[in-house]
Structures are given as C-alpha cells and as structure tokens.
PDB file of all heavy atoms in Angstrom:
ATOM      1  N   VAL A  21     -18.035 -17.840  -8.939  1.00  0.00           N
ATOM      2  CA  VAL A  21     -18.396 -16.720  -9.687  1.00  0.00           C
ATOM      3  C   VAL A  21     -19.095 -15.675  -8.752  1.00  0.00           C
ATOM      4  O   VAL A  21     -18.743 -14.461  -8.955  1.00  0.00           O
ATOM      5  CB  VAL A  21     -19.522 -17.104 -10.779  1.00  0.00           C
ATOM      6  CG1 VAL A  21     -20.046 -15.932 -11.466  1.00  0.00           C
ATOM      7  CG2 VAL A  21     -18.795 -18.081 -11.809  1.00  0.00           C
ATOM      8  N   LEU A  22     -19.833 -16.006  -7.800  1.00  0.00           N
ATOM      9  CA  LEU A  22     -20.389 -15.015  -6.891  1.00  0.00           C
ATOM     10  C   LEU A  22     -19.264 -14.303  -6.049  1.00  0.00           C
ATOM     11  O   LEU A  22     -19.424 -13.064  -6.042  1.00  0.00           O
ATOM     12  CB  LEU A  22     -21.375 -15.785  -5.916  1.00  0.00           C
ATOM     13  CG  LEU A  22     -22.125 -14.859  -4.945  1.00  0.00           C
ATOM     14  CD1 LEU A  22     -22.851 -13.786  -5.736  1.00  0.00           C
ATOM     15  CD2 LEU A  22     -23.086 -15.683  -4.144  1.00  0.00           C
ATOM     16  N   ARG A  23     -18.310 -14.974  -5.608  1.00  0.00           N
ATOM     17  CA  ARG A  23     -17.280 -14.300  -4.949  1.00  0.00           C
ATOM     18  C   ARG A  23     -16.435 -13.304  -5.902  1.00  0.00           C
ATOM     19  O   ARG A  23     -16.132 -12.315  -5.478  1.00  0.00           O
ATOM     20  CB  ARG A  23     -16.296 -15.306  -4.306  1.00  0.00           C
ATOM     21  CG  ARG A  23     -16.959 -15.967  -3.006  1.00  0.00           C
ATOM     22  CD  ARG A  23     -15.948 -16.806  -2.341  1.00  0.00           C
ATOM     23  NE  ARG A  23     -16.601 -17.366  -1.202  1.00  0.00           N
ATOM     24  CZ  ARG A  23     -15.894 -18.357  -0.420  1.00  0.00           C
ATOM     25  NH1 ARG A  23     -14.817 -18.688  -0.713  1.00  0.00           N
ATOM     26  NH2 ARG A  23     -16.635 -18.796   0.677  1.00  0.00           N
ATOM     27  N   LEU A  24     -16.186 -13.784  -7.018  1.00  0.00           N
ATOM     28  CA  LEU A  24     -15.563 -12.938  -8.115  1.00  0.00           C
ATOM     29  C   LEU A  24     -16.380 -11.793  -8.516  1.00  0.00           C
ATOM     30  O   LEU A  24     -15.828 -10.638  -8.334  1.00  0.00           O
ATOM     31  CB  LEU A  24     -15.298 -13.730  -9.378  1.00  0.00           C
ATOM     32  CG  LEU A  24     -14.533 -13.231 -10.395  1.00  0.00           C
ATOM     33  CD1 LEU A  24     -13.110 -12.925  -9.955  1.00  0.00           C
ATOM     34  CD2 LEU A  24     -14.518 -14.167 -11.577  1.00  0.00           C
ATOM     35  N   TYR A  25     -17.690 -11.836  -8.503  1.00  0.00           N
ATOM     36  CA  TYR A  25     -18.547 -10.738  -8.768  1.00  0.00           C
ATOM     37  C   TYR A  25     -18.447  -9.728  -7.533  1.00  0.00           C
ATOM     38  O   TYR A  25     -18.365  -8.573  -7.760  1.00  0.00           O
ATOM     39  CB  TYR A  25     -20.057 -11.354  -8.864  1.00  0.00           C
ATOM     40  CG  TYR A  25     -21.048 -10.198  -8.968  1.00  0.00           C
ATOM     41  CD1 TYR A  25     -21.253  -9.315 -10.107  1.00  0.00           C
ATOM     42  CD2 TYR A  25     -22.093 -10.001  -7.959  1.00  0.00           C
ATOM     43  CE1 TYR A  25     -22.181  -8.437 -10.147  1.00  0.00           C
ATOM     44  CE2 TYR A  25     -23.014  -9.156  -8.010  1.00  0.00           C
ATOM     45  CZ  TYR A  25     -23.134  -8.297  -9.062  1.00  0.00           C
ATOM     46  OH  TYR A  25     -24.105  -7.297  -9.201  1.00  0.00           O
ATOM     47  N   ARG A  26     -18.556 -10.289  -6.324  1.00  0.00           N
ATOM     48  CA  ARG A  26     -18.513  -9.455  -5.147  1.00  0.00           C
ATOM     49  C   ARG A  26     -17.202  -8.686  -5.078  1.00  0.00           C
ATOM     50  O   ARG A  26     -17.093  -7.495  -4.687  1.00  0.00           O
ATOM     51  CB  ARG A  26     -18.659 -10.229  -3.922  1.00  0.00           C
ATOM     52  CG  ARG A  26     -20.139 -10.741  -3.703  1.00  0.00           C
ATOM     53  CD  ARG A  26     -20.293 -11.652  -2.583  1.00  0.00           C
ATOM     54  NE  ARG A  26     -21.744 -11.997  -2.317  1.00  0.00           N
ATOM     55  CZ  ARG A  26     -22.055 -13.049  -1.614  1.00  0.00           C
ATOM     56  NH1 ARG A  26     -21.055 -13.673  -0.910  1.00  0.00           N
ATOM     57  NH2 ARG A  26     -23.290 -13.329  -1.545  1.00  0.00           N
ATOM     58  N   GLU A  27     -16.083  -9.300  -5.403  1.00  0.00           N
ATOM     59  CA  GLU A  27     -14.820  -8.547  -5.434  1.00  0.00           C
ATOM     60  C   GLU A  27     -14.723  -7.642  -6.373  1.00  0.00           C
ATOM     61  O   GLU A  27     -14.129  -6.550  -6.170  1.00  0.00           O
ATOM     62  CB  GLU A  27     -13.663  -9.705  -5.546  1.00  0.00           C
ATOM     63  CG  GLU A  27     -12.283  -9.134  -5.357  1.00  0.00           C
ATOM     64  CD  GLU A  27     -12.016  -8.471  -4.002  1.00  0.00           C
ATOM     65  OE1 GLU A  27     -12.675  -8.884  -2.971  1.00  0.00           O
ATOM     66  OE2 GLU A  27     -11.240  -7.477  -4.048  1.00  0.00           O
ATOM     67  N   CYS A  28     -15.267  -7.933  -7.674  1.00  0.00           N
ATOM     68  CA  CYS A  28     -15.312  -6.900  -8.645  1.00  0.00           C
ATOM     69  C   CYS A  28     -16.067  -5.689  -8.282  1.00  0.00           C
ATOM     70  O   CYS A  28     -15.598  -4.439  -8.607  1.00  0.00           O
ATOM     71  CB  CYS A  28     -15.876  -7.467  -9.909  1.00  0.00           C
ATOM     72  SG  CYS A  28     -14.892  -8.586 -10.848  1.00  0.00           S
ATOM     73  N   LEU A  29     -17.200  -5.867  -7.535  1.00  0.00           N
ATOM     74  CA  LEU A  29     -18.090  -4.776  -7.012  1.00  0.00           C
ATOM     75  C   LEU A  29     -17.262  -4.000  -6.042  1.00  0.00           C
ATOM     76  O   LEU A  29     -17.275  -2.608  -5.956  1.00  0.00           O
ATOM     77  CB  LEU A  29     -19.381  -5.310  -6.527  1.00  0.00           C
ATOM     78  CG  LEU A  29     -20.404  -5.713  -7.447  1.00  0.00           C
ATOM     79  CD1 LEU A  29     -21.582  -6.246  -6.750  1.00  0.00           C
ATOM     80  CD2 LEU A  29     -20.708  -4.592  -8.422  1.00  0.00           C
ATOM     81  N   ARG A  30     -16.525  -4.704  -5.019  1.00  0.00           N
ATOM     82  CA  ARG A  30     -15.767  -3.942  -4.194  1.00  0.00           C
ATOM     83  C   ARG A  30     -14.717  -3.034  -4.768  1.00  0.00           C
ATOM     84  O   ARG A  30     -14.558  -1.908  -4.491  1.00  0.00           O
ATOM     85  CB  ARG A  30     -14.951  -4.935  -3.326  1.00  0.00           C
ATOM     86  CG  ARG A  30     -15.787  -5.579  -2.052  1.00  0.00           C
ATOM     87  CD  ARG A  30     -15.045  -6.314  -1.117  1.00  0.00           C
ATOM     88  NE  ARG A  30     -15.883  -7.253  -0.520  1.00  0.00           N
ATOM     89  CZ  ARG A  30     -16.094  -8.615  -0.848  1.00  0.00           C
ATOM     90  NH1 ARG A  30     -15.306  -9.106  -1.786  1.00  0.00           N
ATOM     91  NH2 ARG A  30     -16.939  -9.334  -0.152  1.00  0.00           N
ATOM     92  N   ARG A  31     -13.984  -3.678  -5.784  1.00  0.00           N
ATOM     93  CA  ARG A  31     -13.030  -2.832  -6.472  1.00  0.00           C
ATOM     94  C   ARG A  31     -13.596  -1.699  -7.219  1.00  0.00           C
ATOM     95  O   ARG A  31     -13.190  -0.633  -7.212  1.00  0.00           O
ATOM     96  CB  ARG A  31     -12.325  -3.728  -7.445  1.00  0.00           C
ATOM     97  CG  ARG A  31     -11.327  -4.759  -6.901  1.00  0.00           C
ATOM     98  CD  ARG A  31     -10.094  -4.066  -6.354  1.00  0.00           C
ATOM     99  NE  ARG A  31      -9.437  -4.959  -5.368  1.00  0.00           N
ATOM    100  CZ  ARG A  31      -8.188  -4.806  -4.833  1.00  0.00           C
ATOM    101  NH1 ARG A  31      -7.631  -3.602  -5.071  1.00  0.00           N
ATOM    102  NH2 ARG A  31      -7.693  -5.604  -3.940  1.00  0.00           N
ATOM    103  N   ALA A  32     -14.810  -1.867  -7.846  1.00  0.00           N
ATOM    104  CA  ALA A  32     -15.516  -0.864  -8.499  1.00  0.00           C
ATOM    105  C   ALA A  32     -15.863   0.320  -7.573  1.00  0.00           C
ATOM    106  O   ALA A  32     -15.770   1.463  -7.938  1.00  0.00           O
ATOM    107  CB  ALA A  32     -16.790  -1.414  -9.270  1.00  0.00           C
ATOM    108  N   ARG A  33     -16.321  -0.114  -6.303  1.00  0.00           N
ATOM    109  CA  ARG A  33     -16.682   1.011  -5.427  1.00  0.00           C
ATOM    110  C   ARG A  33     -15.411   1.729  -4.953  1.00  0.00           C
ATOM    111  O   ARG A  33     -15.527   2.992  -4.782  1.00  0.00           O
ATOM    112  CB  ARG A  33     -17.406   0.313  -4.181  1.00  0.00           C
ATOM    113  CG  ARG A  33     -18.737  -0.099  -4.422  1.00  0.00           C
ATOM    114  CD  ARG A  33     -19.565  -0.493  -3.258  1.00  0.00           C
ATOM    115  NE  ARG A  33     -20.833  -1.174  -3.579  1.00  0.00           N
ATOM    116  CZ  ARG A  33     -20.998  -2.473  -3.688  1.00  0.00           C
ATOM    117  NH1 ARG A  33     -19.936  -3.436  -3.337  1.00  0.00           N
ATOM    118  NH2 ARG A  33     -22.243  -2.996  -4.006  1.00  0.00           N
ATOM    119  N   PHE A  34     -14.377   1.088  -4.753  1.00  0.00           N
ATOM    120  CA  PHE A  34     -13.068   1.665  -4.369  1.00  0.00           C
ATOM    121  C   PHE A  34     -12.566   2.784  -5.489  1.00  0.00           C
ATOM    122  O   PHE A  34     -12.326   3.813  -5.176  1.00  0.00           O
ATOM    123  CB  PHE A  34     -12.090   0.585  -4.219  1.00  0.00           C
ATOM    124  CG  PHE A  34     -10.715   1.060  -3.799  1.00  0.00           C
ATOM    125  CD1 PHE A  34     -10.464   1.558  -2.477  1.00  0.00           C
ATOM    126  CD2 PHE A  34      -9.631   1.124  -4.807  1.00  0.00           C
ATOM    127  CE1 PHE A  34      -9.161   2.172  -2.244  1.00  0.00           C
ATOM    128  CE2 PHE A  34      -8.407   1.732  -4.530  1.00  0.00           C
ATOM    129  CZ  PHE A  34      -8.135   2.156  -3.347  1.00  0.00           C
ATOM    130  N   ILE A  35     -12.598   2.126  -6.822  1.00  0.00           N
ATOM    131  CA  ILE A  35     -12.218   3.089  -7.826  1.00  0.00           C
ATOM    132  C   ILE A  35     -13.168   4.266  -7.964  1.00  0.00           C
ATOM    133  O   ILE A  35     -12.771   5.369  -8.074  1.00  0.00           O
ATOM    134  CB  ILE A  35     -12.084   2.231  -9.113  1.00  0.00           C
ATOM    135  CG1 ILE A  35     -11.020   1.236  -9.034  1.00  0.00           C
ATOM    136  CG2 ILE A  35     -11.859   3.132 -10.404  1.00  0.00           C
ATOM    137  CD1 ILE A  35     -11.149   0.174 -10.210  1.00  0.00           C
ATOM    138  N   GLY A  36     -14.512   3.978  -7.913  1.00  0.00           N
ATOM    139  CA  GLY A  36     -15.550   4.941  -7.988  1.00  0.00           C
ATOM    140  C   GLY A  36     -15.430   6.022  -6.961  1.00  0.00           C
ATOM    141  O   GLY A  36     -15.533   7.121  -7.242  1.00  0.00           O
ATOM    142  N   HIS A  37     -15.028   5.534  -5.767  1.00  0.00           N
ATOM    143  CA  HIS A  37     -15.061   6.580  -4.621  1.00  0.00           C
ATOM    144  C   HIS A  37     -13.746   7.577  -4.947  1.00  0.00           C
ATOM    145  O   HIS A  37     -13.884   8.737  -4.724  1.00  0.00           O
ATOM    146  CB  HIS A  37     -14.784   5.817  -3.362  1.00  0.00           C
ATOM    147  CG  HIS A  37     -14.673   6.731  -2.151  1.00  0.00           C
ATOM    148  ND1 HIS A  37     -15.677   7.508  -1.593  1.00  0.00           N
ATOM    149  CD2 HIS A  37     -13.545   7.039  -1.513  1.00  0.00           C
ATOM    150  CE1 HIS A  37     -15.230   8.101  -0.624  1.00  0.00           C
ATOM    151  NE2 HIS A  37     -13.958   7.892  -0.435  1.00  0.00           N
ATOM    152  N   ARG A  38     -12.650   7.000  -5.370  1.00  0.00           N
ATOM    153  CA  ARG A  38     -11.490   7.846  -5.591  1.00  0.00           C
ATOM    154  C   ARG A  38     -11.772   8.729  -6.771  1.00  0.00           C
ATOM    155  O   ARG A  38     -11.182   9.757  -6.853  1.00  0.00           O
ATOM    156  CB  ARG A  38     -10.400   6.932  -5.823  1.00  0.00           C
ATOM    157  CG  ARG A  38      -9.982   6.003  -4.637  1.00  0.00           C
ATOM    158  CD  ARG A  38      -8.895   5.250  -4.748  1.00  0.00           C
ATOM    159  NE  ARG A  38      -7.658   6.011  -4.260  1.00  0.00           N
ATOM    160  CZ  ARG A  38      -6.377   5.696  -4.494  1.00  0.00           C
ATOM    161  NH1 ARG A  38      -6.114   4.680  -5.116  1.00  0.00           N
ATOM    162  NH2 ARG A  38      -5.469   6.418  -3.986  1.00  0.00           N
ATOM    163  N   GLN A  39     -12.497   8.307  -7.816  1.00  0.00           N
ATOM    164  CA  GLN A  39     -12.801   9.119  -9.016  1.00  0.00           C
ATOM    165  C   GLN A  39     -14.053   9.852  -9.035  1.00  0.00           C
ATOM    166  O   GLN A  39     -14.494  10.497  -9.989  1.00  0.00           O
ATOM    167  CB  GLN A  39     -12.617   8.120 -10.297  1.00  0.00           C
ATOM    168  CG  GLN A  39     -11.272   7.677 -10.394  1.00  0.00           C
ATOM    169  CD  GLN A  39     -11.114   6.688 -11.613  1.00  0.00           C
ATOM    170  OE1 GLN A  39     -12.135   6.403 -12.274  1.00  0.00           O
ATOM    171  NE2 GLN A  39      -9.970   6.296 -11.965  1.00  0.00           N
ATOM    172  N   HIS A  40     -14.841   9.718  -7.935  1.00  0.00           N
ATOM    173  CA  HIS A  40     -16.200  10.347  -7.712  1.00  0.00           C
ATOM    174  C   HIS A  40     -17.255   9.895  -8.782  1.00  0.00           C
ATOM    175  O   HIS A  40     -17.914  10.757  -9.277  1.00  0.00           O
ATOM    176  CB  HIS A  40     -16.025  11.890  -7.658  1.00  0.00           C
ATOM    177  CG  HIS A  40     -14.937  12.371  -6.673  1.00  0.00           C
ATOM    178  ND1 HIS A  40     -15.070  12.174  -5.397  1.00  0.00           N
ATOM    179  CD2 HIS A  40     -13.705  12.748  -6.891  1.00  0.00           C
ATOM    180  CE1 HIS A  40     -13.951  12.661  -4.740  1.00  0.00           C
ATOM    181  NE2 HIS A  40     -13.167  13.126  -5.664  1.00  0.00           N
ATOM    182  N   ASN A  41     -17.127   8.657  -9.219  1.00  0.00           N
ATOM    183  CA  ASN A  41     -18.194   8.278 -10.203  1.00  0.00           C
ATOM    184  C   ASN A  41     -18.552   6.752  -9.837  1.00  0.00           C
ATOM    185  O   ASN A  41     -18.749   5.815 -10.678  1.00  0.00           O
ATOM    186  CB  ASN A  41     -17.638   8.188 -11.631  1.00  0.00           C
ATOM    187  CG  ASN A  41     -16.453   7.501 -11.834  1.00  0.00           C
ATOM    188  OD1 ASN A  41     -15.757   6.990 -10.842  1.00  0.00           O
ATOM    189  ND2 ASN A  41     -16.063   7.450 -13.039  1.00  0.00           N
ATOM    190  N   THR A  42     -18.727   6.474  -8.555  1.00  0.00           N
ATOM    191  CA  THR A  42     -19.016   5.108  -8.020  1.00  0.00           C
ATOM    192  C   THR A  42     -20.246   4.478  -8.780  1.00  0.00           C
ATOM    193  O   THR A  42     -20.036   3.338  -9.179  1.00  0.00           O
ATOM    194  CB  THR A  42     -19.385   5.188  -6.520  1.00  0.00           C
ATOM    195  OG1 THR A  42     -18.208   5.765  -5.820  1.00  0.00           O
ATOM    196  CG2 THR A  42     -19.467   3.833  -5.890  1.00  0.00           C
ATOM    197  N   GLU A  43     -21.319   5.274  -8.834  1.00  0.00           N
ATOM    198  CA  GLU A  43     -22.526   4.608  -9.414  1.00  0.00           C
ATOM    199  C   GLU A  43     -22.252   4.077 -10.932  1.00  0.00           C
ATOM    200  O   GLU A  43     -22.653   2.953 -11.206  1.00  0.00           O
ATOM    201  CB  GLU A  43     -23.693   5.557  -9.386  1.00  0.00           C
ATOM    202  CG  GLU A  43     -24.323   5.689  -8.073  1.00  0.00           C
ATOM    203  CD  GLU A  43     -25.539   6.622  -8.056  1.00  0.00           C
ATOM    204  OE1 GLU A  43     -26.259   6.623  -8.986  1.00  0.00           O
ATOM    205  OE2 GLU A  43     -25.692   7.446  -7.174  1.00  0.00           O
ATOM    206  N   LEU A  44     -21.525   4.887 -11.643  1.00  0.00           N
ATOM    207  CA  LEU A  44     -21.373   4.516 -12.998  1.00  0.00           C
ATOM    208  C   LEU A  44     -20.465   3.254 -13.212  1.00  0.00           C
ATOM    209  O   LEU A  44     -20.687   2.343 -13.856  1.00  0.00           O
ATOM    210  CB  LEU A  44     -20.493   5.721 -13.835  1.00  0.00           C
ATOM    211  CG  LEU A  44     -20.042   5.431 -15.203  1.00  0.00           C
ATOM    212  CD1 LEU A  44     -21.257   5.148 -16.074  1.00  0.00           C
ATOM    213  CD2 LEU A  44     -19.214   6.549 -15.660  1.00  0.00           C
ATOM    214  N   ILE A  45     -19.342   3.177 -12.343  1.00  0.00           N
ATOM    215  CA  ILE A  45     -18.461   2.055 -12.465  1.00  0.00           C
ATOM    216  C   ILE A  45     -19.121   0.824 -11.953  1.00  0.00           C
ATOM    217  O   ILE A  45     -19.057  -0.322 -12.502  1.00  0.00           O
ATOM    218  CB  ILE A  45     -17.142   2.336 -11.642  1.00  0.00           C
ATOM    219  CG1 ILE A  45     -16.371   3.460 -12.371  1.00  0.00           C
ATOM    220  CG2 ILE A  45     -16.196   1.118 -11.596  1.00  0.00           C
ATOM    221  CD1 ILE A  45     -15.045   3.888 -11.784  1.00  0.00           C
ATOM    222  N   VAL A  46     -19.862   0.931 -10.715  1.00  0.00           N
ATOM    223  CA  VAL A  46     -20.567  -0.181 -10.210  1.00  0.00           C
ATOM    224  C   VAL A  46     -21.626  -0.711 -11.268  1.00  0.00           C
ATOM    225  O   VAL A  46     -21.710  -1.915 -11.502  1.00  0.00           O
ATOM    226  CB  VAL A  46     -21.192   0.069  -8.849  1.00  0.00           C
ATOM    227  CG1 VAL A  46     -22.156  -0.977  -8.405  1.00  0.00           C
ATOM    228  CG2 VAL A  46     -20.037   0.316  -7.867  1.00  0.00           C
ATOM    229  N   SER A  47     -22.342   0.211 -11.785  1.00  0.00           N
ATOM    230  CA  SER A  47     -23.357  -0.247 -12.860  1.00  0.00           C
ATOM    231  C   SER A  47     -22.653  -0.969 -14.069  1.00  0.00           C
ATOM    232  O   SER A  47     -23.203  -1.911 -14.532  1.00  0.00           O
ATOM    233  CB  SER A  47     -24.323   0.937 -13.254  1.00  0.00           C
ATOM    234  OG  SER A  47     -23.624   1.643 -14.212  1.00  0.00           O
ATOM    235  N   MET A  48     -21.479  -0.616 -14.403  1.00  0.00           N
ATOM    236  CA  MET A  48     -20.834  -1.239 -15.617  1.00  0.00           C
ATOM    237  C   MET A  48     -20.365  -2.582 -15.225  1.00  0.00           C
ATOM    238  O   MET A  48     -20.550  -3.431 -15.922  1.00  0.00           O
ATOM    239  CB  MET A  48     -19.539  -0.379 -15.834  1.00  0.00           C
ATOM    240  CG  MET A  48     -19.882   1.002 -16.593  1.00  0.00           C
ATOM    241  SD  MET A  48     -18.389   1.984 -16.827  1.00  0.00           S
ATOM    242  CE  MET A  48     -17.310   1.023 -17.626  1.00  0.00           C
ATOM    243  N   VAL A  49     -20.001  -2.850 -14.012  1.00  0.00           N
ATOM    244  CA  VAL A  49     -19.624  -4.138 -13.622  1.00  0.00           C
ATOM    245  C   VAL A  49     -20.848  -5.003 -13.416  1.00  0.00           C
ATOM    246  O   VAL A  49     -20.870  -6.099 -14.047  1.00  0.00           O
ATOM    247  CB  VAL A  49     -18.958  -4.090 -12.155  1.00  0.00           C
ATOM    248  CG1 VAL A  49     -18.857  -5.537 -11.602  1.00  0.00           C
ATOM    249  CG2 VAL A  49     -17.556  -3.458 -12.219  1.00  0.00           C
ATOM    250  N   ARG A  50     -21.842  -4.495 -12.932  1.00  0.00           N
ATOM    251  CA  ARG A  50     -23.154  -5.356 -12.848  1.00  0.00           C
ATOM    252  C   ARG A  50     -23.595  -5.563 -14.214  1.00  0.00           C
ATOM    253  O   ARG A  50     -24.123  -6.683 -14.377  1.00  0.00           O
ATOM    254  CB  ARG A  50     -24.234  -4.466 -12.061  1.00  0.00           C
ATOM    255  CG  ARG A  50     -24.006  -4.472 -10.536  1.00  0.00           C
ATOM    256  CD  ARG A  50     -25.176  -3.855  -9.941  1.00  0.00           C
ATOM    257  NE  ARG A  50     -24.978  -3.963  -8.542  1.00  0.00           N
ATOM    258  CZ  ARG A  50     -25.122  -3.154  -7.497  1.00  0.00           C
ATOM    259  NH1 ARG A  50     -25.543  -1.883  -7.970  1.00  0.00           N
ATOM    260  NH2 ARG A  50     -24.923  -3.278  -6.273  1.00  0.00           N
ATOM    261  N   GLN A  51     -23.642  -4.629 -15.173  1.00  0.00           N
ATOM    262  CA  GLN A  51     -24.041  -4.891 -16.476  1.00  0.00           C
ATOM    263  C   GLN A  51     -23.382  -6.081 -17.142  1.00  0.00           C
ATOM    264  O   GLN A  51     -23.976  -6.903 -17.846  1.00  0.00           O
ATOM    265  CB  GLN A  51     -23.889  -3.722 -17.384  1.00  0.00           C
ATOM    266  CG  GLN A  51     -24.951  -2.657 -17.278  1.00  0.00           C
ATOM    267  CD  GLN A  51     -24.663  -1.406 -18.141  1.00  0.00           C
ATOM    268  OE1 GLN A  51     -23.582  -1.227 -18.693  1.00  0.00           O
ATOM    269  NE2 GLN A  51     -25.687  -0.575 -18.236  1.00  0.00           N
ATOM    270  N   GLN A  52     -22.060  -6.191 -17.050  1.00  0.00           N
ATOM    271  CA  GLN A  52     -21.242  -7.216 -17.579  1.00  0.00           C
ATOM    272  C   GLN A  52     -21.491  -8.541 -16.998  1.00  0.00           C
ATOM    273  O   GLN A  52     -21.815  -9.536 -17.858  1.00  0.00           O
ATOM    274  CB  GLN A  52     -19.739  -6.887 -17.330  1.00  0.00           C
ATOM    275  CG  GLN A  52     -19.183  -5.798 -18.358  1.00  0.00           C
ATOM    276  CD  GLN A  52     -19.474  -6.112 -19.815  1.00  0.00           C
ATOM    277  OE1 GLN A  52     -19.123  -7.174 -20.341  1.00  0.00           O
ATOM    278  NE2 GLN A  52     -20.179  -5.170 -20.516  1.00  0.00           N
ATOM    279  N   PHE A  53     -21.834  -8.609 -15.784  1.00  0.00           N
ATOM    280  CA  PHE A  53     -22.183  -9.916 -15.131  1.00  0.00           C
ATOM    281  C   PHE A  53     -23.601 -10.332 -15.569  1.00  0.00           C
ATOM    282  O   PHE A  53     -23.876 -11.426 -15.845  1.00  0.00           O
ATOM    283  CB  PHE A  53     -22.025  -9.831 -13.623  1.00  0.00           C
ATOM    284  CG  PHE A  53     -20.649 -10.158 -13.111  1.00  0.00           C
ATOM    285  CD1 PHE A  53     -19.790  -9.242 -13.072  1.00  0.00           C
ATOM    286  CD2 PHE A  53     -20.332 -11.516 -12.769  1.00  0.00           C
ATOM    287  CE1 PHE A  53     -18.311  -9.615 -12.613  1.00  0.00           C
ATOM    288  CE2 PHE A  53     -19.087 -11.750 -12.421  1.00  0.00           C
ATOM    289  CZ  PHE A  53     -18.075 -10.827 -12.313  1.00  0.00           C
ATOM    290  N   LYS A  54     -24.481  -9.326 -15.565  1.00  0.00           N
ATOM    291  CA  LYS A  54     -25.904  -9.580 -15.900  1.00  0.00           C
ATOM    292  C   LYS A  54     -25.975 -10.029 -17.404  1.00  0.00           C
ATOM    293  O   LYS A  54     -26.820 -10.990 -17.720  1.00  0.00           O
ATOM    294  CB  LYS A  54     -26.835  -8.448 -15.693  1.00  0.00           C
ATOM    295  CG  LYS A  54     -27.169  -8.251 -14.310  1.00  0.00           C
ATOM    296  CD  LYS A  54     -28.176  -7.011 -14.127  1.00  0.00           C
ATOM    297  CE  LYS A  54     -28.547  -6.813 -12.696  1.00  0.00           C
ATOM    298  NZ  LYS A  54     -29.443  -5.697 -12.534  1.00  0.00           N
ATOM    299  N   LYS A  55     -25.252  -9.421 -18.219  1.00  0.00           N
ATOM    300  CA  LYS A  55     -25.199  -9.663 -19.743  1.00  0.00           C
ATOM    301  C   LYS A  55     -24.980 -11.248 -19.922  1.00  0.00           C
ATOM    302  O   LYS A  55     -25.461 -11.740 -20.913  1.00  0.00           O
ATOM    303  CB  LYS A  55     -24.212  -8.810 -20.354  1.00  0.00           C
ATOM    304  CG  LYS A  55     -24.076  -8.911 -21.823  1.00  0.00           C
ATOM    305  CD  LYS A  55     -23.170  -7.895 -22.270  1.00  0.00           C
ATOM    306  CE  LYS A  55     -22.436  -8.222 -23.539  1.00  0.00           C
ATOM    307  NZ  LYS A  55     -21.416  -7.255 -23.872  1.00  0.00           N
ATOM    308  N   HIS A  56     -24.170 -11.786 -19.096  1.00  0.00           N
ATOM    309  CA  HIS A  56     -23.713 -13.177 -19.384  1.00  0.00           C
ATOM    310  C   HIS A  56     -24.259 -14.174 -18.210  1.00  0.00           C
ATOM    311  O   HIS A  56     -23.810 -15.244 -18.216  1.00  0.00           O
ATOM    312  CB  HIS A  56     -22.279 -13.267 -19.287  1.00  0.00           C
ATOM    313  CG  HIS A  56     -21.527 -12.374 -20.323  1.00  0.00           C
ATOM    314  ND1 HIS A  56     -21.674 -12.667 -21.678  1.00  0.00           N
ATOM    315  CD2 HIS A  56     -20.905 -11.163 -20.208  1.00  0.00           C
ATOM    316  CE1 HIS A  56     -20.995 -11.695 -22.270  1.00  0.00           C
ATOM    317  NE2 HIS A  56     -20.516 -10.826 -21.474  1.00  0.00           N
ATOM    318  N   LYS A  57     -25.249 -13.711 -17.602  1.00  0.00           N
ATOM    319  CA  LYS A  57     -25.727 -14.548 -16.417  1.00  0.00           C
ATOM    320  C   LYS A  57     -26.388 -15.915 -16.940  1.00  0.00           C
ATOM    321  O   LYS A  57     -26.396 -16.861 -16.164  1.00  0.00           O
ATOM    322  CB  LYS A  57     -26.722 -13.801 -15.604  1.00  0.00           C
ATOM    323  CG  LYS A  57     -28.119 -13.645 -16.183  1.00  0.00           C
ATOM    324  CD  LYS A  57     -29.143 -12.914 -15.260  1.00  0.00           C
ATOM    325  CE  LYS A  57     -30.427 -12.804 -16.057  1.00  0.00           C
ATOM    326  NZ  LYS A  57     -31.422 -12.186 -15.210  1.00  0.00           N
TER     327      LYS A  57
END
C-alpha cells in the first residue's frame, strides 16, 4: 500500500505539473488514502 500510495503521488505531481494544479491533485490523492487509512 505504501508503494502504491507513493506511485499515486508521483503520478499526481506529474499530472498536476502539466495542468498547473499540482497541489489540488496531490491533495485529492492524499485525501482518498487518508479517508480509508
């Protein structure tokens, strides 16, 4: 799960960088993992 989480964050940063909304996308990924921790 930890590696899956990290890879999701990497992808979120990549997508966010390209769409200029990195913080929003990364926070969405973090919220989903925290919600079910």
Side-chain angles (χ1 to χ4, degrees):
V21 174
L22 183 57
R23 285 186 180 172
L24 188 58
Y25 173 69
R26 287 177 180 160
E27 185 59 30
C28 286
L29 286 178
R30 279 187 204 101
R31 292 284 167 174
R33 286 186 191 104
F34 176 79
I35 295 167
H37 178 72
R38 296 181 97 189
Q39 297 178 353
H40 309 291
N41 59 353
T42 304
E43 286 183 37
L44 174 65
I45 295 176
V46 168
S47 78
M48 289 170 56
V49 169
R50 284 189 173 131
Q51 280 178 348
Q52 286 302 307
F53 275 86
K54 281 183 182 179
K55 182 173 151 183
H56 302 289
K57 72 178 182 175

